[in-house]
Amino acid sequence: QTRTVQNGTYRSPDGKHWLLRSAPVFDAHGSVTQIVHMQFEVTELMQAKQALEASEERWKFALEGAQEAVWDCDVPSGRLQYSPMWFTMLGYAEGELEQTVTQWESLLHPDDRVPAQNMLLAHFRGETDFYDFEYRMRCRDGSYKWIHSRGRLMEKSDDGEPVRVIGTHYDMSERKAAQEQILANEAFLENLLG
């Protein structure tokens, strides 16, 4: 019977990273007979971890700078993970909403719910390379924002069923309002000249 009682990492003067483990060894009566100390070099693992963290920081900075939110969906469970920007975009505090597909659907404008679902299912069937759709989502204050959502199926099960989808949300409300104003101006000119 061996139970680990102490773990830790340290960096030696030569720059190498080490993992230390100490574990008691028990006899048949449950008494400690000795303490075993083990040491493993984990320099490459620590460097890989640091590189991954730096990469994630750059990725996060790039997305936040572009005002894009990230979502990650586990399809079988219906669970979603949202970046902090996703909540901010809709006026919610981080974690204020349940992160599920059901909650996401409840925030969709009623006129956009079925088309958004159909677009996602078409992507799951392989009819499109990406899930790419514009829809309205209800904000905390009850207003709606136009969202451009783009995602991609990243993982399928052995039998071809969707497992994981990752994507982004972009608030395109200002662009949509500008487009609508241009159309209204064109219609006004046509009526004026027509």
Side-chain angles (χ1 to χ4, degrees):
Q1 177 183 7
T2 303
R3 291 192 295 249
T4 301
V5 294
Q6 182 178 347
N7 292 315
T9 58
Y10 78 96
R11 188 172 179 180
S12 58
D14 62 0
K16 293 182 179 178
H17 293 269
W18 298 89
L19 171 66
L20 300 177
R21 289 192 172 197
S22 298
V25 177
F26 299 89
D27 63 17
H29 304 290
S31 299
V32 175
T33 59
Q34 65 179 337
I35 302 289
V36 177
H37 301 283
M38 297 164 279
Q39 182 171 293
F40 307 94
E41 184 184 352
V42 292
T43 304
E44 287 184 20
L45 181 63
M46 292 298 287
Q47 289 170 342
K49 180 183 175 198
Q50 291 166 352
L52 179 61
E53 288 171 353
S55 175
E56 286 177 350
E57 282 298 312
R58 286 191 299 272
W59 177 74
K60 182 180 174 186
F61 178 76
L63 286 172
E64 289 180 358
Q67 297 295 302
E68 291 204 33
V70 178
W71 52 269
D72 187 339
C73 180
D74 178 75
V75 179
S77 70
R79 298 290 305 164
L80 282 157
Q81 289 184 335
Y82 299 125
S83 68
M85 178 64 75
W86 192 95
F87 292 97
T88 301
M89 192 177 290
L90 298 175
Y92 291 94
E94 188 175 348
E96 187 175 350
L97 294 171
E98 186 178 279
Q99 295 185 56
T100 63
V101 171
T102 303
Q103 178 74 73
W104 168 75
E105 289 172 341
S106 75
L107 296 175
L108 290 173
H109 190 281
D111 294 342
D112 299 333
R113 193 169 295 142
V114 171
Q117 292 166 334
N118 288 341
M119 185 70 72
L120 191 55
L121 291 174
H123 178 58
F124 287 169
R125 289 190 299 265
E127 296 170 16
T128 60
D129 291 334
F130 290 92
Y131 171 72
D132 195 334
F133 197 64
E134 297 173 0
Y135 49 76
R136 291 159 287 183
M137 290 195 79
R138 190 177 66 248
C139 300
R140 192 174 197 279
D141 65 5
S143 66
Y144 282 90
K145 280 189 176 179
W146 277 99
I147 301 294
H148 181 195
S149 184
R150 185 170 165 87
R152 187 169 191 184
L153 183 60
M154 302 300 291
E155 183 182 347
K156 290 184 179 183
S157 65
D158 291 339
D159 59 355
E161 292 298 312
V163 172
R164 187 175 183 206
V165 186
I166 298 176
T168 59
H169 271 193
Y170 176 75
D171 178 1
M172 58 174 292
S173 299
E174 288 182 18
R175 188 176 83 194
K176 201 73 170 176
Q179 288 172 346
E180 289 172 0
Q181 186 61 52
I182 289 168
L183 291 174
N185 289 347
E186 288 174 353
F188 175 76
L189 285 173
E190 282 181 20
N191 285 337
L192 191 65
L193 300 173

